[in-house]
Amino acid sequence: MTTPSVRPNNPNFSSGPCAKRPGWDAGALANALVGRSHRSKEGRARLKDVIARSRAVLGLPDDYLLGIVPASDTGAVEMALWSILGSRGVDVFAWESFGEGWITDIVKQLKLTDVRSFTADYGRLPDFTQADFTRDVVFTWNGTTSGVRVPNGDWIDDDRLGLTICDATSAVFAMHLPWDKLDVVTYSWQKVLGGEAAHGVLILSPRAVARLESYQPPWPMPKIFRMVKGGKLNASIFEGDTINTPSMLCVEDALDGLIWAESQGGTSGLVARSERNLAAMVEWVARTPWVDFLAEDLATRSCTSICLKIVDPWFEALSPEEQASTAKKMAAYLEAEGAAYDVAPYRDAPPGLRFWGGATVETADLEAAFPWLEAAYDKVKAG
Ligand SMILES: Cc1ncc(COP(=O)(O)O)c(C=O)c1O
C-alpha cells in the first residue's frame, strides 16, 4: 500500500460553499465598500454592477430581470414559490433531497392540493414527459446531492400556459440553460463562482412578472418575500436595491467572481472548465474497478456535483450502516491527509463520495486527488 506523494494545490472540493476561483486571496476584497450604506450612490453602483455583469455572463435575454435577494438560493426559491404558486395546478419534479424540500414546501407548508409530484430515486431522473404545461412546473436543474442533472430543456413546452420555476443553483455558470424555456431561475453566490454564502439571485421572465402582477396569493407574505407593491412589481429590486441589507464584502467577492468569469470567456469558458473536470473523473472511474457514478445515465451526469458510488462486491456485501461508515472513513482519511476536503456525500444521499467539479476547480487538482482516493479505498478495505 503506497501513499501518494503529490497533493492537490487546492484540496477544496466542497459542493457548497465551493472552492474560490484560482488565485483568489482576501486581497480581492480590499476595495469592498465596508462600513458604508448599500443604499449610498457607491453601494448601489456596486450592486448594479453585480446585476449587469451577471446578466452579461449568463447571456440573459434583455426582457428578463435579475435581482439580488435574501437567504441564498433557498430564499430565492421560496420567495418564488410563495409569490407565484396557487393560481393553477402544480407539477413538481424531484430526485434528491433539495427537490424533495420544494415538494414539502408546496404540499405541507403552502398546503396546495392540486399538486402532482414526480420523483425518482438517487441516481435517476423522474419522467419529465409527464409534465403538463397548462400547470406550473417546479424542478431543480442539477440535483446537487445525487449528481444527476437535467440534460436539456427539450421537454419544456414553448407555448406553455403555466410557468417553469427552476432551482439552478449548482447549474448556472457551469451548464448552458435554455432561458426561453425558464420563467423563474434561482441560484446563490456560494456555488459555481465560489462566492460567499447567504445571498440569492432571482431571475424572472416577462411571463413570471405578468403572473406576479396579476395574482395575489391568499397567504400572508413575509416582508423578506415581498416583491409586489400595489399590484406592481417592485422593479427596484432588479436595479440594485435590495429588500434588506446585503454584505458589501460578499458583494465585492461576487464582483471578483464575475470578473474572473469574464476572463474565462463567460459561461462558455466556465462550462468548458467544468466539463473538463467531469471528463477527468469519467476517465478515472473507467480505469478504477471499485467506483462508478451514482447517475445511471451518462447524459444526466453532473459536471458540478460529481457523486460516486462504490461498486466493489466487498463493499456491497456490507450492511447499510457499515457502508456509510466506510465511506465516511474514506472522506476522513482524505481530509486528514489534506488531499480532499468535504467529499462525504450529503446526509440523505447514498454512501459514497461527492467531488465538486464546478468552474473554480482546477482539473489538475482533481487529478492529483485520484491516487489519494485509491489509497483511501485500499486503507479502509484493509481495515
Ligand atoms: C439544488 C440546491 N438547491 C438549494 C440549495 C440550498 O442552497 P442555499 O444553501 O444557497 O440556500 C442547494 C445547496 O446546496 C442546492 O444544491
Side-chain angles (χ1 to χ4, degrees), residues 15-16 71-75 77 96 98-99 102 140 142-145 167 169-170 188 190-191 198-199:
S15 291
S72 209
D73 181 64
T74 310
V77 173
E96 48 81 65
F98 287 106
W102 308 142
T140 306
N142 180 73
T144 317
T145 65
D167 170 5
T169 194
S170 56
S188 47
Q190 48 115 349
K191 292 280 188 216
H199 296 70

Side-chain angles (χ1 to χ4, degrees), residues 42-58 60 66-69 173 187-189 193 199-203 237-240 242 246-259 262:
E42 294 86 345
R44 215 163 172 275
R46 302 272 171 113
L47 288 158
K48 269 181 110 147
D49 200 11
V50 171
I51 290 173
R53 288 179 194 269
S54 303
R55 296 184 61 99
V57 171
L58 291 172
L60 213 57
L66 182 150
I68 298 163
V69 299
F173 300 113
Y187 65 92
S188 47
W189 288 350
L193 295 186
H199 296 70
V201 172
L202 179 68
I203 295 172
I237 296 173
F238 305 89
E239 291 160 5
T242 50
S247 155
M248 295 312 287
L249 213 51
C250 297
V251 168
E252 200 64 15
D253 192 62
L255 274 176
D256 174 76
L258 286 161
I259 291 164
E262 290 159 6

